[in-house]
Amino acid sequence: MRERPDTQAERFRREWWLLAGLWLALGALIAVVLILERRDTEERERQQVAHQVHIVHENLERQLHAVNQALGDIVANLPQWRARPEGALPFNERLRAFSDAMTGVRTLTVLDAEGTVVASSRAELLGENFAYRDYFQSARRLASREQPSLIVSAPMRTVLGIWAITLSRPVVAEDGLPGGVVAATLDPEEFKTLLDSVRYAPDVESTLVHGDGVRFLRVPERAGLLGATLAQPGTLFQAHLDSGRMESLFVGAMEPDPTERLVALRTIFPAHLHMDKPLVAAVARDWSQVFAAWRARLDAGCGMAADGGCHWAGPGLHAAPAPPAVAPRAGAGCPGSRLAGPLAGGAACHPAGRVGLGRGRGHGVFLAGMEDHARLRRRRHRRQPAGMGKPRASR
């Protein structure tokens, strides 16, 4: 029994709607996978920047501890050096040996109570007066403390033209009054090497900032950013300081650079060093680059899903079975066909010369076969000799 056209069309549409539903379900699954992947990417990146800033913190803490130990040894040996008749020359050589042996220290100097350099690892600094420097004034002010303080100067341009930070410890005279300062100027190149070592991608930047908010170093370097003040209301640096936490993680701009970044900040303020000001290390990555690979996969997945949906669902939503052929009137045969009468009236002509009834393929084959059979019988009849078709007379 031949299926009704409207039933066939309905089944055809139902099948394609089912396919479209499966396609939508697959799209939803891909969306869930991409959302989870984005969350994992962000979490992994947060852990990465936090780990890198922790590396900077550990290395800087060890270096600060070593410098503090060296300054303490120099302070302890000052009375012995002053008692020697040969003067400052042997002590200068010892300071030079200290400076060469210590990683991250560029210059060691000893200043008297008036701020004049009386011993130094660099001979060109002897006789210079640095009483105007903030670190000298801070050291004199804190000299009365029971526990010696490590004075951390704000970044400054030294008399030798180096952008540096100076660590210093006060010297207390026998009468308890300030007797001078011992200072170590940090080598910025050594710290640049450390900051560069934690950059795991081209868009990652690492920064070292003084506790007052003045940027000391930034890798990679950019003109105009060194010396910028980050301790301003609304900045990530100020938010970190205001939080009171040792570690912070933000998404925002490290002013004055407007680029939005994922930033991990870590305060370097070891309790045993008694620092008057902390240092703050920061490792940041461009927020737009964090999801660059994920966005590429998202674009590829959306493109494939859209192409597949158009290829699969598009034709099915619009296609429908062709309307049934209109049967010719009774007695009218197909052009070129020898069938006539009621049989021809129920046949629909095909472009190839075959005939079919309605939409059924089997009917067309059946009628074509009947036409071929009739044509063969007529051909055999024409070839039969005369008289062979007559019945024999009875004997």
Side-chain angles (χ1 to χ4, degrees):
M1 181 177 180
R2 186 163 57 88
E3 190 176 26
R4 292 177 57 188
D6 56 345
T7 304
Q8 186 179 9
E10 183 63 27
R11 187 189 66 172
F12 192 70
R13 292 183 182 277
R14 187 167 58 249
E15 290 174 352
W16 278 102
W17 276 114
L18 177 62
L19 182 60
L22 293 175
W23 172 72
L24 291 176
L26 178 61
L29 178 61
I30 293 175
V32 171
V33 170
L34 288 172
I35 291 173
L36 294 177
E37 184 181 353
R38 188 187 190 281
R39 186 185 65 182
D40 292 343
T41 299
E42 180 176 347
E43 181 62 26
R44 183 172 60 251
E45 204 66 33
R46 287 176 178 270
Q47 293 177 0
Q48 182 70 21
V49 294
H51 176 69
Q52 299 304 96
V53 80
H54 180 72
I55 293 174
V56 176
H57 168 264
E58 292 297 317
N59 280 272
L60 279 178
E61 185 172 329
R62 284 196 296 268
Q63 292 191 17
L64 292 174
H65 176 74
V67 173
N68 186 60
Q69 286 289 103
L71 294 178
D73 291 342
I74 295 172
V75 171
N77 285 291
L78 273 178
Q80 182 182 356
W81 162 71
R82 287 171 175 169
R84 289 185 177 181
E86 58 268 26
L89 184 59
F91 201 58
N92 291 337
E93 293 177 355
R94 185 172 182 182
L95 292 179
R96 189 176 300 111
F98 262 121
S99 178
D100 293 341
M102 294 177 62
T103 302
V105 173
R106 175 180 170 83
T107 307
L108 289 171
T109 55
V110 178
L111 291 77
D112 62 16
E114 285 73 35
T116 302
V117 177
V118 294
S120 176
S121 61
R122 295 182 179 272
E124 58 266 40
L125 294 179
L126 292 173
E128 293 281 347
N129 188 282
F130 298 120
Y132 62 92
R133 292 291 194 186
D134 289 339
Y135 69 84
F136 180 81
Q137 298 176 13
S138 297
R140 285 180 59 89
R141 187 174 61 254
L142 299 176
S144 58
R145 284 188 178 182
E146 264 185 50
Q147 185 65 43
S149 299
L150 182 64
I151 312 302
V152 183
S153 77
M156 60 182 180
R157 188 70 61 181
T158 69
V159 294
L160 299 180
I162 305 300
W163 179 254
I165 281 178
T166 296
L167 304 179
S168 57
R169 284 185 58 168
V171 178
V172 181
E174 294 180 358
D175 56 3
L177 297 176
V181 172
V182 176
T185 302
L186 301 183
D187 186 356
E189 296 304 320
E190 291 291 339
F191 291 93
K192 286 180 184 177
T193 302
L194 171 61
L195 295 178
D196 189 54
S197 68
V198 298
R199 297 179 61 238
Y200 57 94
D203 58 282
V204 174
E205 70 170 44
S206 49
T207 305
L208 190 59
V209 186
H210 186 264
D212 288 340
V214 180
R215 194 196 302 264
F216 174 40
L217 294 173
R218 181 187 187 273
V219 179
E221 295 183 17
R222 281 183 58 184
L225 293 185
L226 293 185
T229 301
L230 306 182
Q232 300 176 11
T235 64
L236 299 184
F237 180 84
Q238 190 63 48
H240 169 68
L241 294 183
D242 292 343
S243 70
R245 299 189 300 265
M246 299 299 290
E247 297 182 43
S248 298
L249 199 60
F250 299 106
V251 175
M254 284 286 286
E255 291 74 6
D257 186 356
T259 304
E260 189 175 49
R261 299 180 182 276
L262 172 64
V263 185
L265 298 105
R266 182 69 164 84
T267 299
I268 305 167
F269 199 50
H272 67 280
L273 295 182
H274 304 283
M275 298 166 61
D276 71 325
K277 297 290 179 65
L279 296 174
V280 178
V283 176
R285 187 173 189 193
D286 191 330
W287 185 245
S288 64
Q289 294 300 315
V290 170
F291 302 105
W294 178 84
R295 279 196 299 270
R297 289 190 291 272
L298 174 64
D299 294 342
C302 291
M304 292 176 62
D307 291 344
C310 293
H311 179 72
W312 293 338
L317 294 176
H318 301 287
V326 179
R329 54 185 173 79
C334 293
S337 173
R338 296 182 182 275
L339 297 177
L343 185 61
C349 299
H350 285 252
R354 300 291 183 180
V355 295
L357 184 63
R359 291 183 51 82
R361 175 180 174 84
H363 287 79
V365 174
F366 172 71
L367 294 177
M370 290 181 62
E371 184 180 2
D372 291 342
H373 181 67
R375 188 183 299 110
L376 181 59
R377 285 176 60 86
R378 288 193 296 271
R379 188 179 298 116
R380 288 179 178 177
H381 181 72
R382 286 196 299 270
R383 292 177 181 176
Q384 186 176 11
M388 289 186 62
K390 296 179 180 180
R392 294 183 178 182
S394 59
R395 299 177 68 176

